[in-house]
Amino acid sequence: MTSDLGLAGKRIIVTGAASGIGLETARLLASEGAVMVLMDRDQRALDAVADELRAVAHFCGDVTCEADCEHMGTVARTAIGGLDGLVHCAGVSDRVARAFDIDIDEWQRIVDVTLRGAFLACRAAARVMLEQKSGSIVALSSIRGLIGSPRRHAYGPAKAAVSMMTKNLACEWSLSGVRINAIAPGFIRTPMTDRLVEDGKIDEKILADRTPMGRMGLPIEVARASAFLLSDWSSYITGVTLPVDGGWVAYGGAGPVATH
Ligand SMILES: NC(=O)c1ccc[n+]([C@@H]2O[C@H](COP(=O)([O-])OP(=O)(O)OC[C@H]3O[C@@H](n4cnc5c(N)ncnc54)[C@H](O)[C@@H]3O)[C@@H](O)[C@H]2O)c1
């Protein structure tokens, strides 16, 4: 059963579609009847997802590579005849280290995947959308880009820049019919956060206690927000970063929510 968001037949690209939030987003949009093109750097996982969702096209690429991102536009034009939506989910987590312990090349790699990747992917999609004078883009930011965090010196600042990029591009493109918004997920259960839990970098119980809704989020809850921002239900929304975080950013107290 589909919702009444009107996404059936919409031509949509999802980057980072092989895992986590991107995978669940691709699944949701496919179930809504969207015409899907999928991109990820993990060829094997991407092949399996494209098979599962009967995607019209999929291709392996690195979002930090301009040619790979521009190829998205070529695929949109040739395989699906245009582009109505992009959800840019490709991303990597931080190394979680104090400022003086950070290797600057590793710092640069995370900034590149996060910010350069977002800019190149959004620009490539908009090239097609601006010709049509229509389209909606959703970029994945993070609550780490909205709040200060120790030991997150590449990821957090780069995600903050993704939110600012979203504002700037909205100012530049909205008059031409292209909307762009960002989503800032809180702590969502995906392979990315599973790895951080396994490595002892985050503690699930502490996170749940600090979250007004008392739990981590699910990838489908982020996917639904993207579906809304892609659809005409958000027709007068552009340039915003929407937290999907169970109230994490809203809470300003110290310690567990229940003790206040
Ligand atoms: N999971 C969370 O709690 C959380 C919270 C805030 C923001 N986010 C953001 O949401 C997005 C998705 O995160 P996730 O948790 O689903 O992660 P994930 O690791 O499960 O999936 C990320 C996907 O991106 C792909 N990818 C990574 N680098 C790439 C590159 N250079 N080019 C192309 N593909 C690449 C990976 O192969 C993988 O399939 C990321 O931008 C992440 O920063 C996640």
Side-chain angles (χ1 to χ4, degrees):
M1 198 179 72
T2 60
S3 71
D4 48 5
L5 285 172
L7 294 175
K10 295 288 184 194
R11 301 157 298 180
I12 298 172
I13 295 180
V14 177
T15 70
S19 175
I21 293 169
L23 170 59
E24 214 52 51
T25 302
R27 281 186 176 138
L28 176 66
L29 297 173
S31 75
E32 290 287 315
V35 177
M36 302 300 303
V37 172
L38 310 178
M39 190 249 205
D40 202 287
R41 69 174 175 189
D42 181 341
Q43 177 86 65
R44 193 192 297 199
L46 184 66
D47 286 346
V49 176
D51 213 33
E52 173 196 325
L53 301 183
R54 296 199 179 86
V56 174
H58 66 286
F59 60 95
C60 186
D62 183 335
V63 293
T64 63
C65 168
E66 186 174 9
D68 287 358
C69 286
E70 288 300 322
H71 184 61
M72 269 186 346
T74 307
V75 172
R77 286 192 181 90
T78 56
I80 52 178
L83 191 60
D84 302 305
L86 167 74
V87 188
H88 173 61
C89 298
V92 287
S93 61
D94 219 341
R95 199 168 83 62
V96 190
R98 297 199 178 278
F100 290 111
D101 297 330
I102 287 173
D103 176 296
I104 198 63
D105 293 331
E106 176 66 359
W107 181 92
Q108 188 67 57
R109 187 186 70 81
I110 293 163
V111 171
D112 281 349
V113 174
T114 307
L115 180 56
R116 178 186 163 98
F119 185 71
L120 289 174
C122 294
R123 188 172 69 165
R127 228 186 270 287
V128 183
M129 293 173 175
L130 289 167
E131 285 168 15
Q132 305 164 170
K133 297 205 177 307
S134 67
S136 176
I137 295 172
V138 181
L140 267 288
S141 180
S142 167
I143 58 166
R144 295 280 185 208
L146 302 179
I147 56 167
S149 315
R151 297 178 291 125
R152 298 291 202 284
H153 298 293
Y155 184 83
K159 286 297 193 185
V162 168
S163 291
M164 182 52 76
M165 175 201 84
T166 299
K167 290 184 186 179
N168 289 353
L169 294 178
C171 294
E172 194 165 311
W173 294 340
S174 295
L175 208 53
S176 305
V178 177
R179 295 185 297 113
I180 174 167
N181 293 290
I183 289 176
F187 294 94
I188 310 296
R189 277 219 145 280
T190 69
M192 184 186 276
T193 44
D194 287 347
R195 282 190 292 273
L196 292 170
V197 172
E198 275 162 29
D199 295 347
K201 306 284 189 197
I202 58 176
D203 181 316
E204 207 179 331
K205 170 143 185 3
I206 293 174
L207 291 185
D209 287 349
R210 166 65 179 73
T211 305
M213 289 186 71
R215 63 173 176 85
M216 287 178 74
L218 301 172
I220 186 67
E221 294 175 299
V222 181
R224 287 186 190 127
S226 286
F228 165 69
L229 290 172
L230 289 172
S231 80
D232 287 344
W233 284 62
S234 59
S235 56
Y236 199 52
I237 301 176
T238 195
V240 306
T241 293
L242 174 67
V244 178
D245 66 349
W248 179 279
V249 169
Y251 178 55
V257 179
T259 61
H260 280 258

